[in-house]
């Protein structure tokens, strides 16, 4: 991910960079499930499924592919816009989580990888879950992931990656 962020530096991110559907999710805020999972309220499914643990519940409910149907398949513009959308959404949701829960225990995982029918189209995902020292992390050995670019973000990372950003 650091290579992508070097090639496509992010600055001045705004809420307007977030696709409308994801902006609505962010603005609806966060909730606790009966199991104690922290989830984006708008993403809570109507039908309750059994989950192995809180981490699985959080990642299952909070994980989404970033909207990209309106983006050109042409690189490098596609990757630059996907990064911008993902980071704006991630930091916007992390900001809301910090306000709701009065801490910074929620983490965002932003990943980009090749997908599509021929594995030739850059796609992206954003997943949120809590960081718990008593539970294995969502992505183990983050630095060793090879088939995608991935980063774990906390709200505290915002100033490092996005100096000068206004809303997110």
């Amino acid at each position: 991910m650091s290579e992508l962020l070097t090639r496509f530096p992010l600055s001045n991110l705004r809420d307007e960079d977030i696709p409308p559907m994801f902006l609505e999710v962010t603005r609806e805020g966060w909730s606790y499930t009966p199991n104690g999972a922290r989830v984006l309220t708008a993403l809570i499914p109507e039908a309750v499924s059994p989950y192995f643990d809180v981490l699985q519940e959080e990642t299952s409910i909070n994980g989404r592919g970033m909207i990209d149907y309106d983006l050109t398949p042409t690189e490098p513009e596609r990757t630059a816009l996907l990064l911008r959308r993902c980071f704006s959404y991630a930091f916007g949701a992390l900001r809301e989580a910090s306000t709701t829960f009065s801490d910074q225990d929620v983490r965002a995982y932003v990943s980009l990888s090749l997908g599509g029918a021929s594995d030739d189209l850059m796609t992206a995902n954003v997943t949120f879950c809590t960081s718990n020292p008593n539970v294995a992390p969502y992505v183990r050995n983050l630095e060793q992931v090879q088939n995608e670019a991935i980063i774990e973000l906390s709200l505290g990372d915002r100033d490092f990656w996005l100096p000068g950003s206004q809303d997110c």
Side-chain angles (χ1 to χ4, degrees):
M1 181 65 77
S2 60
E3 288 178 29
L4 285 178
L5 292 171
T6 299
R7 282 183 50 209
F8 307 106
L10 299 172
S11 62
N12 299 318
L13 295 184
R14 298 166 293 134
D15 283 346
E16 291 79 22
D17 295 319
I18 305 170
M21 180 184 102
F22 285 94
L23 185 57
E24 185 178 321
V25 166
T26 301
R27 289 185 174 159
E28 237 181 278
W30 290 81
S31 302
Y32 282 108
T33 67
N35 296 327
R38 295 179 181 196
V39 296
L40 286 154
T41 305
L43 301 180
I44 298 172
E46 289 182 24
V48 179
S49 300
Y51 298 100
F52 177 73
D53 59 16
V54 169
L55 179 63
Q56 183 191 31
E57 185 173 13
E58 289 175 345
T59 57
S60 296
I61 294 172
N62 293 329
R64 292 291 185 275
M66 181 49 66
I67 292 173
D68 63 0
Y69 62 85
D70 60 327
L71 298 179
T72 176
T74 309
E75 290 297 332
E77 297 85 13
R78 181 179 184 84
T79 297
L81 287 171
L82 279 171
L83 282 169
R84 191 165 190 81
R85 286 179 178 185
C86 288
F87 273 71
S88 296
Y89 173 55
F91 284 119
L94 289 171
R95 180 187 66 226
E96 291 298 321
S98 175
T99 300
T100 301
F101 303 122
S102 299
D103 62 35
Q104 293 190 20
D105 291 343
V106 176
R107 299 289 186 262
Y109 290 83
V110 174
S111 63
L112 277 77
S113 62
L114 293 176
S118 303
D119 282 343
D120 60 352
L121 190 64
M122 188 63 73
T123 60
N125 289 285
V126 181
T127 301
F128 299 95
C129 60
T130 52
S131 173
N132 184 333
N134 300 323
V135 178
Y138 173 56
V139 179
R140 296 178 198 208
N141 301 319
L142 193 68
E143 297 81 22
Q144 295 176 4
V145 173
Q146 294 183 18
N147 294 326
E148 63 185 327
I150 188 165
I151 190 169
E152 177 191 79
L153 300 169
S154 69
L155 185 59
D157 294 322
R158 181 182 167 270
D159 291 335
F160 177 77
W161 288 108
L162 308 172
S165 290
Q166 300 299 314
D167 299 327
C168 304

